[in-house]
Amino acid sequence: PEEAEGITTVMAIDSEGNTSQLPVATEPDEPVIVVSANERLIGIPKNASGRTDCPILQEPYYSTPTTDYYFADDYYATLNNCNIGNPPPPPPPSGEPCNGCDRDCKNTKDELAKVKFKNITALRTAEPWPWGNVELRSVIIIAAPNPSDFWNLLKTHTGKRKEYRTCKNGPCRPVWRDINTEILTWDPNEIGNRMKYTWFEIDKSPLEFVELSATAKFGSVSVTGKVKVKLNRKRYELGESYVEYCDKADGEGYLYTADDIMFYVRQR
């Protein structure tokens, strides 16, 4: 079934045609082929293929008379490129000593380095085994001095289940997944002292607008703004965390903890 909420078992058919019910909460100990909707694709009505100033340049994977289906990564990459536009280049190094913040010492892009579920229960709740790969979305809210100018980057992190957990040498447990996703070069004068990362696990369903908010400081002035993001209607909220400009950014970076997920952000 496409609807996961409230489902405790799924029907299985063996090679002899016999049917049985497999529990959703317990991963099978033998191979199972699952037939389900393709979560990697997003259906966009042809009369609304994107913002008028942001057409989707990639070829659709599949088309019907009314809908174009795109890979989610291609669709969100197009929107991110439109949001970023042509930002001003970072200022050249001044040669002055650092002010105690790693990001003051070098002008390189931030990077979302790796991610991990807090525990195996969080993983299984967000994405029960019959629903296949883990489809993470991270929404990064970028501040601006004017509340109406807040914008966002939406990153997709699709991975096989074995990339997020291991069941070797004992009970199943989460593992770190390296994603090394580029964010941007951080100029605190342009985007404030912090960004907000909000995490979701999504399931195949129509898109809808979701309003999210964040707060950042520009000098001593605190500014709160909102953004509208297109997300799948069926989604599981994994939590949120602010990334501060003066957090550790060298080496492995800084460990952030949301409700059900942990992640590292660093500078390249």
Side-chain angles (χ1 to χ4, degrees), residues 131-147:
W131 278 262
N133 291 341
V134 178
E135 303 276 348
L136 293 186
R137 299 284 186 270
S138 57
V139 181
I140 306 164
I141 303 178
I142 315 296
N146 186 335

Side-chain angles (χ1 to χ4, degrees), residues 193-253:
N193 71 322
R194 61 183 186 172
M195 306 178 196
K196 189 177 185 181
Y197 284 61
T198 305
W199 291 84
F200 302 90
E201 204 289 326
I202 62 97
D203 290 313
K204 179 71 175 177
S205 57
L207 297 177
E208 65 180 4
F209 278 108
V210 179
E211 190 173 75
L212 302 173
S213 65
T215 301
K217 281 189 175 181
F218 294 82
S220 61
V221 179
S222 182
V223 182
T224 299
K226 297 179 180 180
V227 298
K228 284 188 175 182
V229 184
K230 270 189 175 181
L231 290 172
N232 297 71
R233 189 172 300 158
K234 296 178 184 177
R235 59 186 179 273
Y236 184 83
E237 297 184 11
L238 297 167
E240 60 189 29
S241 180
Y242 277 101
V243 173
E244 304 277 350
Y245 178 79
C246 276
D247 289 340
K248 174 179 170 57
D250 286 343
E252 200 171 40

